[in-house]
Amino acid sequence: MEIKLEFVRKRSEFGRPCSFSDYLAEVTVDIPPDPSLADNFIPQDPVDFAFQEGPVMALHEVNTERVQVSIKGVNHVEGGWPQHIDPKNSELTSRYREEVEREDAYTRSVQRLGSLVEHYIRQNNAIDIYEEYFEEEEEEEEEEEHPSAKTISVIRDPNVTKRMATHISWHPDANRAVAVAYCSLDFQDSRKDMSFDSYVWDLEKPYSPELTLKPSSPLVTLEYNSKDWHHVLGGCYNGQIVYWDTRKGGLPVEMTPVELSHRDPVYGACWLPSRTGTECFTGSTDGQVLWWDIRKMSQPSERLILDITKEDQLSKALGASALDFAPAMPTKFLVGTEQGTIISCNRDSKTPPEKIAHIFRGHLGAVYSVTRNPFFPKVFLSVGDWTARIWTEELMDSSSIMETKYHTPYLLDGCWSPVKPAVFFTTKSDGTLDIWDFLFHQKEPSLSLKVSNDPLLSLRPQDNGCILGCGSRRGNVTLLEISPGLCTMRKNEKTLTSTMFEREARREKVLQDKHRERLLREQERARARPEEQEDPQEVFKKAREDFFSIIKAERRRRGQDDPEE
């Protein structure tokens, strides 16, 4: 069945507009109310209504155009020379200067400018525009601040098999990076999957290394070249010396042959301030100090055997466990040995035995660190066994002029503050960092901070003295920021420190002279007395009586102190 709807209209009515007209109202349906239906309704109580009186807000997002930043450099070249003069040729430039200085125009220009320069120099000398009027009040406020330190970052060994952070070296360019040597110093440590790599870390990205150094043997020490920042020197566990150019990647540029290198781990490596910036020297526990030139590392340029008997025999040499070199004393260097002896060496001496200038004895164990004071190069700090000691080269073959107390844990590293002459830092085997300021406290550290649960093996401050890097046995390098009072030099601090060192040196010299006088008197008495041979039995009997008398006296003293016992 088909359903259709037909609509018929004339063609003329298609599209015809509608015409509306007024029409009166009409009631179509009228339903009256029914009261009986009211019972079926349920009243709603209470009734909630919500009103929003706030203005209507609209959210819009705008994506601004990204600024493209580019790094550009400017190369300043010496100019002002004629075309026929090469600025790099010193002979041509000096000859041209002499010709110009002979001209009358040069003389007139210097005379005319000289009066102007003299006027402004006198004006600057009359008024100091940089004078600080309230410097003393600022210092008083700083003195009230208590010493403190806080951890700002922790750099961790990225390998699963953890190794020791044995040495730290800061980048010479504003300390923007730090090089860390990783090595296991445990005897015959043969753990599987142990990496040989060491790393250079960018402080802004401490979670991944900036450069991975790949030596042939684990690195014990690592040092940046202060003259050429791209050169890094490393001393290996097998005795080899390696150097890198960081612009060429992590593979070594050159390394020393095994047969001509050290026979033991290299615990010290220092760059020398030569003209070329390529010379260095290293020290090892095999008893040798070797000089190298990285342009020719096939063999050492010089050798010194640390034989204090001056017989120049390697079998009698002392093993070097620490090495220090200060540019202020370019011919001298210090060597700390495993036997607790510190050797002061002079490279300018003619024969190798004469290069061992002076010997300092005082430590009972190995010397882990020896560093010169940056303000007083003749004063140096040594760390070994349970103490840190301060020495002076003005008193030869004598004991230290100052020392810390004996600690329960071992002291493993130490260094001076680069900005305060009387402040130095020490690390201990219980993971504690001690900051000493001998101008204020000589018996206790100014600040003792628990950095790690593992022993702290390495320590190195930045050039500004405010940031410290501490390397632990687990390979973690903790960066600490110390309070301004410990890294800001106060007024007359250098003078006070110098006076303190001189006073202690005089005191030590007086004690040394008295000790020598007493030894001479005892020798004279021994010569004047007839030789008497004491009976060993009598000596043993007397010692036994003295021993038991001391014990009885101690028991009586304890009984008087504690009546209950």
Side-chain angles (χ1 to χ4, degrees):
M1 176 177 149
E2 188 175 358
I3 299 175
K4 291 183 180 181
L5 175 62
E6 293 182 359
F7 181 77
V8 181
R9 178 180 287 186
K10 292 182 180 182
R11 177 72 176 175
S12 60
E13 294 180 356
F14 281 166
R16 187 176 181 182
C18 298
S19 60
F20 298 98
S21 59
D22 293 335
Y23 190 75
L24 296 175
E26 181 182 356
V27 178
T28 57
V29 178
D30 184 12
I31 302 176
D34 188 359
S36 62
L37 297 177
D39 297 336
N40 297 332
F41 292 94
I42 300 175
Q44 184 179 358
D45 185 30
V47 179
D48 295 332
F49 295 94
F51 297 93
Q52 178 64 32
E53 297 296 334
V56 178
M57 306 293 291
L59 178 64
H60 299 279
E61 294 182 358
V62 178
N63 188 13
T64 58
E65 294 183 2
R66 184 175 180 181
V67 179
Q68 297 293 334
V69 181
S70 61
I71 300 175
K72 296 181 180 180
V74 179
N75 185 18
H76 295 276
V77 182
E78 185 177 359
W81 299 96
Q83 293 183 356
H84 64 279
I85 300 296
D86 185 8
K88 298 180 180 179
N89 192 332
S90 59
E91 295 182 2
L92 293 177
T93 54
S94 61
R95 193 181 306 165
Y96 180 75
R97 285 195 187 97
E98 292 175 359
E99 293 177 358
V100 173
E101 290 173 359
R102 292 194 193 99
E103 297 177 358
D104 295 337
Y106 175 79
T107 305
R108 290 194 299 270
S109 299
V110 172
Q111 291 177 352
R112 181 175 56 84
L113 297 173
S115 60
L116 296 174
V117 173
E118 183 180 1
H119 168 72
Y120 290 114
I121 289 176
R122 292 179 180 275
Q123 188 178 20
N124 290 337
N125 292 336
I127 301 173
D128 185 8
I129 63 174
Y130 299 105
E131 183 179 1
E132 296 184 6
Y133 296 97
F134 306 102
E135 184 177 1
E136 296 180 358
E137 295 183 3
E138 293 179 358
E139 290 181 357
E140 291 177 358
E141 292 177 0
E142 291 178 358
E143 289 178 1
E144 297 176 357
E145 183 182 1
H146 294 286
S148 62
K150 61 180 180 180
T151 303
I152 58 176
S153 181
V154 178
I155 301 173
R156 306 180 189 277
D157 184 4
N159 295 282
V160 178
T161 305
K162 302 301 180 182
R163 303 159 297 163
M164 307 176 187
T166 54
H167 197 82
I168 299 172
S169 179
W170 292 99
H171 195 285
D173 183 16
N175 304 306
R176 64 175 184 82
V178 59
V180 183
Y182 294 93
C183 177
S184 177
L185 299 178
D186 293 336
F187 181 66
Q188 292 183 347
D189 187 1
S190 58
R191 288 178 290 174
K192 296 181 180 180
D193 301 329
M194 184 180 294
S195 175
F196 289 178
D197 298 345
S198 292
Y199 305 99
V200 175
W201 301 86
D202 188 350
L203 298 185
E204 296 181 357
K205 303 175 182 177
Y207 301 107
S208 61
E210 181 183 21
L211 180 64
T212 301
L213 305 177
K214 296 184 176 296
S216 59
S217 177
L219 291 178
V220 182
T221 184
L222 199 62
E223 284 293 340
Y224 270 107
N225 189 348
S226 59
K227 197 168 186 178
D228 190 346
W229 303 337
H230 304 290
H231 288 173
V232 181
L233 181 69
C236 299
Y237 189 78
N238 65 351
Q240 285 184 291
I241 309 300
V242 191
Y243 96 92
W244 286 266
D245 190 336
T246 55
R247 294 167 294 186
K248 298 180 180 180
L251 295 178
V253 177
E254 195 173 354
M255 64 181 67
T256 58
V258 178
E259 60 273 10
L260 296 177
S261 303
H262 292 283
R263 302 177 184 179
D264 284 351
V266 180
Y267 285 95
C270 300
W271 290 96
L272 293 172
S274 59
R275 292 182 179 179
T276 58
T278 58
E279 296 181 9
C280 58
F281 71 107
T282 56
S284 171
T285 49
D286 62 353
Q288 297 182 97
V289 176
L290 303 178
W291 280 264
W292 306 88
D293 193 326
I294 62 175
R295 296 174 297 181
K296 184 184 177 182
M297 300 188 72
S298 57
Q299 60 182 2
S301 58
E302 195 175 343
R303 185 188 305 266
L304 174 63
I305 297 176
L306 299 174
D307 182 8
I308 59 176
T309 62
K310 298 188 178 182
E311 297 179 4
D312 203 24
Q313 295 184 9
L314 190 59
S315 59
K316 297 182 180 180
L318 304 181
S321 55
L323 199 64
D324 179 72
F325 173 79
M329 308 180 75
T331 61
K332 294 184 178 181
F333 61 94
L334 297 171
V335 181
T337 63
E338 291 181 309
Q339 292 76 13
T341 304
I342 303 170
I343 305 174
S344 176
C345 302
N346 190 349
R347 190 184 179 187
D348 279 354
S349 300
K350 297 180 180 179
T351 60
E354 292 178 356
K355 292 181 179 180
I356 300 177
H358 305 287
I359 300 170
F360 302 90
R361 295 182 175 89
H363 286 285
L364 304 176
V367 178
Y368 294 110
S369 174
V370 54
T371 54
R372 292 187 184 273
N373 191 300
F375 297 90
F376 308 101
K378 290 187 177 181
V379 178
F380 60 92
L381 171 74
S382 66
V383 172
D385 50 63
W386 302 275
T387 60
R389 298 173 181 266
I390 298 177
W391 313 73
T392 177
E393 289 188 342
E394 295 178 354
L395 295 178
M396 304 302 178
D397 302 328
S398 64
S399 59
S400 57
I401 60 173
M402 303 178 77
E403 63 183 43
T404 64
K405 65 178 183 179
Y406 276 81
H407 299 270
T408 303
Y410 281 102
L411 268 65
L412 300 178
D413 201 1
C415 62
W416 291 98
S417 170
V419 293
K420 290 176 71 70
V423 174
F424 62 93
F425 315 99
T426 58
T427 58
K428 295 186 289 189
S429 59
D430 62 350
T432 304
L433 168 69
D434 290 339
I435 304 178
W436 298 80
D437 191 345
F438 265 18
L439 278 181
F440 293 92
H441 303 284
Q442 298 183 6
K443 295 183 179 180
E444 296 291 336
S446 299
L447 177 64
S448 185
L449 185 66
K450 182 73 172 179
V451 178
S452 171
N453 293 326
D454 303 309
L456 298 178
L457 303 178
S458 54
L459 174 69
R460 183 69 69 90
Q462 287 186 356
D463 294 337
N464 57 10
C466 298
I467 305 296
L468 287 173
C470 304
S472 70
R473 183 182 176 88
R474 294 279 297 172
N476 298 334
V477 178
T478 305
L479 303 182
L480 301 167
E481 182 179 3
I482 60 178
S483 57
L486 295 173
C487 58
T488 305
M489 186 183 293
R490 296 180 177 86
K491 189 177 181 180
N492 299 329
E493 185 171 354
K494 187 175 180 181
T495 305
L496 294 174
T497 306
S498 176
T499 304
M500 178 183 66
F501 288 152
E502 291 175 359
R503 182 188 69 238
E504 296 299 325
R506 287 195 302 268
R507 180 188 63 83
E508 185 62 31
K509 188 175 182 181
V510 170
L511 293 176
Q512 187 178 359
D513 293 340
K514 289 185 177 180
H515 180 66
R516 289 175 180 173
E517 291 177 2
R518 189 182 68 179
L519 290 179
L520 290 174
R521 286 198 299 267
E522 291 179 357
Q523 290 178 0
E524 291 176 358
R525 291 174 184 173
R527 292 173 185 172
R529 275 186 319 200
E531 295 183 357
E532 299 178 358
Q533 294 183 354
E534 296 183 354
D535 186 8
Q537 296 294 334
E538 294 293 332
V539 174
F540 176 75
K541 185 177 179 180
K542 185 178 179 181
R544 179 176 178 144
E545 292 176 355
D546 293 342
F547 176 74
F548 282 111
S549 63
I550 292 172
I551 292 178
K552 290 179 181 179
E554 183 67 19
R555 286 180 176 176
R556 286 196 298 271
R557 187 185 66 80
R558 292 187 178 184
Q560 293 176 359
D561 294 343
D562 192 359
E564 294 180 0
E565 293 182 0

